Amino acid sequence: MRKAIFPGTFDPFTIGHYSVVERALTFMDEIVIGIGINENKNTYFPIEKREEMIRELYKDNPHIKVMSYNCLTIDFAQQVDAKFIIRGIRTVKDFEYEETIADINRKLAGIETILLFTEPELTCVSSTIVRELLTYNKDISQFIPKGMKMND
């Protein structure tokens, strides 16, 4: 079975993240969306809410699991028995950063990273921008997956 993790903060989960997951499902049997807990980041949504929103979005897809973790990404991958890490990249800067992390992860744990380039129309979408729009009470519906519930 080909199992991967898709790690991130996902604050919030955007249409860019959704696109990466959907495309990765074409060659992975199972994807664990791993929500990393990073005390150094100021998040908009608490971890429980992020888990709930993403889990609800994929509730009918048995190939997707949603979990949070508070350790190195490679340790999380090993905990869930994933052999691959999926990452989406939007820019050359993203590529350079992800290449370095992928090299370290391969050396430390033998885990391969698969980079998926963001679809051109989604390169402007980032969780940071969506959080800022939320802060100013702007409509973010075009930037999050259809059917994703932001409020209770």
Side-chain angles (χ1 to χ4, degrees), residues 2-70:
R2 292 176 313 267
K3 186 175 189 178
I5 61 167
F6 180 43
T9 307
F10 305 119
D11 185 38
F13 194 81
T14 69
I15 55 175
H17 298 129
Y18 184 81
S19 171
V20 168
V21 170
E22 292 302 303
R23 291 165 50 213
L25 280 172
T26 66
F27 56 86
M28 286 291 154
D29 298 310
E30 184 177 304
I31 297 173
V32 178
I33 298 173
I35 306 169
I37 299 169
N38 184 343
E39 279 82 23
N40 296 326
K41 282 193 174 183
N42 281 336
T43 56
Y44 188 89
F45 293 102
I47 186 74
E48 299 81 14
K49 179 65 176 171
R50 286 178 274 153
E51 272 190 81
E52 174 190 319
M53 290 187 296
I54 301 168
R55 194 171 281 127
E56 177 66 20
L57 181 65
Y58 289 104
K59 69 180 180 203
D60 296 325
N61 189 330
H63 303 281
I64 302 289
K65 306 282 185 267
V66 181
M67 302 170 69
S68 59
Y69 68 98
N70 193 11

Side-chain angles (χ1 to χ4, degrees), residues 94-110:
D94 286 352
F95 177 81
E96 290 173 348
Y97 173 78
E98 294 297 341
E99 180 185 29
T100 301
I101 300 300
D103 289 343
I104 295 296
N105 289 343
R106 191 178 331 95
K107 285 181 192 303
L108 290 176

Side-chain angles (χ1 to χ4, degrees), residues 12-19 121-126 129-130 133-134 138-148 150:
F13 194 81
T14 69
I15 55 175
H17 298 129
Y18 184 81
S19 171
E121 66 273 17
L122 301 179
T123 57
C124 66
V125 179
S126 73
I129 301 236
V130 175
L133 293 172
L134 279 168
K138 297 296 182 187
D139 178 15
I140 61 160
S141 59
Q142 65 182 313
F143 304 115
I144 60 171
K146 289 188 184 342
M148 190 162 122
M150 299 295 286

